[in-house]
Every structure is written in structure tokens, then in C-alpha cells.
């Protein structure tokens, strides 16, 4: 299904740049802040942007306890944990590699769906895509080589991608259909994630802060633009073209992260990693392939929407 509006193409390009550059900003922020400090600042700034927009648009945050319990679970796996794991992983892994491993989220989502029995589209192309995608991950890790990436940093990034998938599955089953708008869900999730991370700071985030303009600017951009503004742009793309077309942005993120890492951080364009990235993206494309005659239920469209908006 083609994207029809020129304005949407521009918004999708900006969105890919904002999300794809997140890994660059994390790398720069790590020069002065710890992973937990980055996570707290990112979630707090993103929450501030979205909460302001929620009330500006005459909406409000949920008030019932049940919604907050569900959103708290989604916040833990969809924001607090993956944000921290990506920052932790990038202490030893290039920002471009982190962006490539982030692209495995749809593979994890499909695997979880198959394990739980909630995945109804079992056409051979999707199984091939799942196998191909994880073959690409194996090529990126290259555990048979001394120069491979089979270390704790890369594993942290891969775990972060899997954590996103857990959150998407939970949101699709427990949060969708509760009468909350995507803006309410995402803003509440970031508020909850900021609160959770604040509780961890005294234990895991009390390292000295090395104040300089580079990490402070990087984490500010990451929070305000890479988290808050990016979600707003994503909502507009979903409204214009639907959740399925909006997921096309995901194919651009690893390309953006690899190019920015090479241009601004001097990260090497490792041929093996680039080839692994291409294989992963082909696998992801196959996992999203639908039979020509299939009618996608509304609930699956909602899951696709959450998988795009909660990134």
C-alpha cells in the first residue's frame, strides 16, 4: 500500500531521522551520564512533552487504578528497561550496531505471538522471515570470530529489542480497547517509566555527572525530540496513512543509525554488520507479509499501531 501524501513522506523522513539518531545521542550522552541517568532524563523530558500535549488537546491522563497497572507493566518493558539496556549496551557497542539490533523487535514480536498462540497468520513466508532475520542477527554477532560482537553490550541491545516486543504484545492484549487514545497511552507510559527509573537512581544511577555541553545537549535532544516530538509525528503519520504504512519507518532506522555513526562518530562500516542488517530487514519484511486475500482484524491493526508508537 503506497504512501499517498507528500507531507506524510516528509514527516516519515523526519521521524526516521529522529528515531534513527537516538542511538547517536545515547552514545554522546554516555560521555557525561550513566545509562540510568540517561534513561531518567529521556523519559522525564519525553513525558513532559506528551503530557503537555495531552492537556492541550483537551484530553487527560487515565485516573483508574486498573489502567495504570497495565500501563505500568507496559512502561517497564516498553520504556524503562529497553532505554536503559540500549544505553548500557552502547558503552561497548557502536551506535550503528545498536540501531541494527533494534530492528529485530518485529522478529521477537512474532516469536512471542507464536509461543503464546496469539499469532494467527502462519504463512510460510513469515516463518522464513523469522529464520532469516535471526540468521542475520547471528551474522552480526559472529561468535565464531574474535572480532565478533558476542559480548554483553550487544546482548543488552538484543534484550532491549525483545523487551519492546513484550510490551507491544501486552499493550495489544491488555491496554487496547480500554478507551484510551495513543497519546494518553504513550504519555502515561513515559510518566510511569520516569517514576520507575527515579526509584532506581539511588542504587544504580548515583555515579558522578560530568557536566559539559555535549552530553547535556545530546540527552535533551534525545528526550524532547527523539522521544516526545517523534511520538507526535508518528501519530500524524498513523492518522494520514494508517498503522501498517507507518511501520515502514522501521526499515529506515538501522540505515540512519549506521550512517550517522559512521559520519559523526567515526564508526567503521563493517561489511559483515551491514550484510547482517540487510538480511535482518529482509526477514522483517517477510514476517510482515500478509496473504493477498487476508483481511487483517482491527485488533491486529491496533497492535501494529502500538508497535510503531511506543518505540
Amino acid at each position: 500500500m503506497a504512501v499517498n501524501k507528500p507531507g506524510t513522506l516528509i514527516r516519515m523522513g523526519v521521524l526516521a531521522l529522529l528515531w534513527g539518531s537516538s542511538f547517536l545521542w545515547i552514545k554522546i550522552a554516555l560521555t557525561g551520564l550513566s545509562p540510568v541517568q540517561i534513561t531518567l532524563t529521556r523519559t522525564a523530558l519525553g513525558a513532559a512533552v506528551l503530557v503537555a500535549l495531552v492537556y492541550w488537546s483537551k484530553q487527560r491522563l487515565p485516573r483508574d487504578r486498573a489502567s495504570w497497572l497495565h500501563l505500568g507493566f507496559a512502561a517497564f518493558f516498553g520504556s524503562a528497561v529497553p532505554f536503559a539496556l540500549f544505553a548500557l549496551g552502547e558503552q561497548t557497542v557502536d551506535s550503528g550496531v545498536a540501531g541494527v539490533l533494534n530492528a529485530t523487535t518485529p522478529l521477537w514480536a512474532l516469536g512471542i505471538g507464536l509461543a503464546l498462540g496469539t499469532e494467527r497468520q502462519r504463512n510460510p513466508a513469515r516463518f522464513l522471515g523469522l529464520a532469516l532475520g535471526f540468521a542475520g542477527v547471528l551474522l552480526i554477532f559472529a561468535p565464531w570470530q574474535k572480532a565478533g560482537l558476542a559480548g554483553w553490550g550487544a546482548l543488552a541491545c538484543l534484550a532491549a529489542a525483545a523487551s519492546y516486543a513484550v510490551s507491544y504484545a501486552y499493550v495489544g492484549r491488555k491496554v487496547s480497547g480500554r478507551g484510551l487514545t495513543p497519546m494518553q497511552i504513550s504519555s502515561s507510559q513515559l510518566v510511569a517509566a520516569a517514576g520507575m527509573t527515579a526509584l532506581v537512581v539511588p542504587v544504580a544511577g548515583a555515579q558522578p555527572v560530568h557536566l559539559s555541553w555535549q552530553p547535556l545537549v545530546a540527552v535533551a535532544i534525545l528526550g524532547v525530540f527523539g522521544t516526545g516530538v517523534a511520538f507526535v509525528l508518528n501519530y500524524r503519520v498513523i492518522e494520514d496513512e494508517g498503522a501498517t504504512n507507518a511501520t515502514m519507518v522501521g526499515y529506515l532506522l538501522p540505515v540512519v543509525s549506521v550512517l550517522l555513526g559512521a559520519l559523526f562518530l567515526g564508526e567503521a562500516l563493517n561489511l559483515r554488520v551491514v550484510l547482517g542488517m540487510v538480511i535482518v530487514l529482509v526477514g522483517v519484511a517477510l514476517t510482515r507479509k500478509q496473504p493477498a486475500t487476508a483481511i487483517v482484524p482491527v485488533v491486529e491493526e491496533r497492535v501494529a499501531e502500538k508497535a510503531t508508537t511506543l518505540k
Side-chain angles (χ1 to χ4, degrees):
M1 190 161 53
V3 176
N4 298 314
K5 300 179 181 179
T8 299
L9 288 174
I10 295 174
R11 280 186 283 272
M12 290 178 73
V14 173
L15 184 58
L17 180 61
L18 290 176
W19 271 340
S21 65
S22 294
F23 306 97
L24 169 69
W25 302 125
I26 290 172
K27 197 74 170 180
I28 296 173
L30 283 168
T31 61
L33 300 169
S34 72
V36 173
Q37 291 164 352
I38 292 172
T39 303
L40 176 60
T41 309
R42 178 182 184 179
T43 52
L45 290 175
V49 171
L50 290 179
V51 169
L53 289 172
V54 163
Y55 285 99
W56 181 78
S57 61
K58 308 301 182 183
Q59 302 178 46
R60 66 182 186 183
L61 297 180
R63 296 186 177 183
D64 61 295
R65 183 170 176 269
S67 290
W68 277 106
L69 287 174
H70 289 305
L71 289 165
F73 186 93
F76 182 77
F77 286 100
S79 296
V81 168
F83 287 0
L85 285 176
F86 272 121
L88 184 68
E90 284 196 51
Q91 289 181 317
T92 60
V93 170
D94 285 351
S95 65
V97 172
V100 172
L101 295 177
N102 176 75
T104 64
T105 295
L107 304 177
W108 292 109
L110 177 58
I112 291 171
L114 292 171
L116 296 178
T118 57
E119 176 58 45
R120 287 175 284 180
Q121 296 294 340
R122 296 175 178 265
N123 54 313
R126 305 194 79 191
F127 289 104
L128 175 61
L130 189 63
L132 193 61
F134 283 115
V137 171
L138 186 63
L139 180 61
I140 292 169
F141 272 69
W144 57 86
Q145 291 186 3
K146 288 185 178 180
L149 295 171
W152 65 266
L155 290 174
C157 292
L158 200 62
S163 184
Y164 278 137
V166 171
S167 175
Y168 301 157
Y170 188 83
V171 168
R173 296 189 67 181
K174 299 294 186 179
V175 180
S176 294
R178 299 187 67 87
L180 300 174
T181 66
M183 186 80 77
Q184 288 175 308
I185 293 172
S186 293
S187 59
S188 301
Q189 178 177 321
L190 286 175
V191 168
M196 292 176 186
T197 309
L199 294 176
V200 177
V201 168
V203 178
Q207 297 90 335
V209 176
H210 303 287
L211 291 176
S212 63
W213 69 269
Q214 293 98 331
L216 293 179
V217 169
V219 77
I221 293 173
L222 180 65
V224 174
F225 295 98
T227 306
V229 174
F231 282 1
V232 177
L233 278 176
N234 190 55
Y235 302 146
R236 181 61 185 273
V237 173
I238 290 172
E239 289 175 359
D240 288 347
E241 299 292 339
T244 301
N245 269 353
T247 61
M248 290 169 57
V249 174
Y251 295 98
L252 300 176
L253 302 189
V255 178
V256 172
S257 69
V258 167
L259 290 178
L260 291 180
L263 287 173
F264 295 101
L265 299 176
E267 296 174 354
L269 283 174
N270 187 304
L271 180 60
R272 190 191 73 250
V273 172
V274 172
L275 181 59
M277 175 185 69
V278 172
I279 294 174
V280 166
L281 292 180
V282 171
V284 169
L286 288 173
T287 64
R288 295 185 177 185
K289 183 177 178 60
Q290 302 289 342
T293 58
I295 299 176
V296 182
V298 173
V299 67
E300 292 185 1
E301 180 78 0
R302 286 176 175 168
V303 172
E305 178 177 329
K306 301 307 175 290
T308 308
T309 58
L310 298 180
K311 180 69 70 181

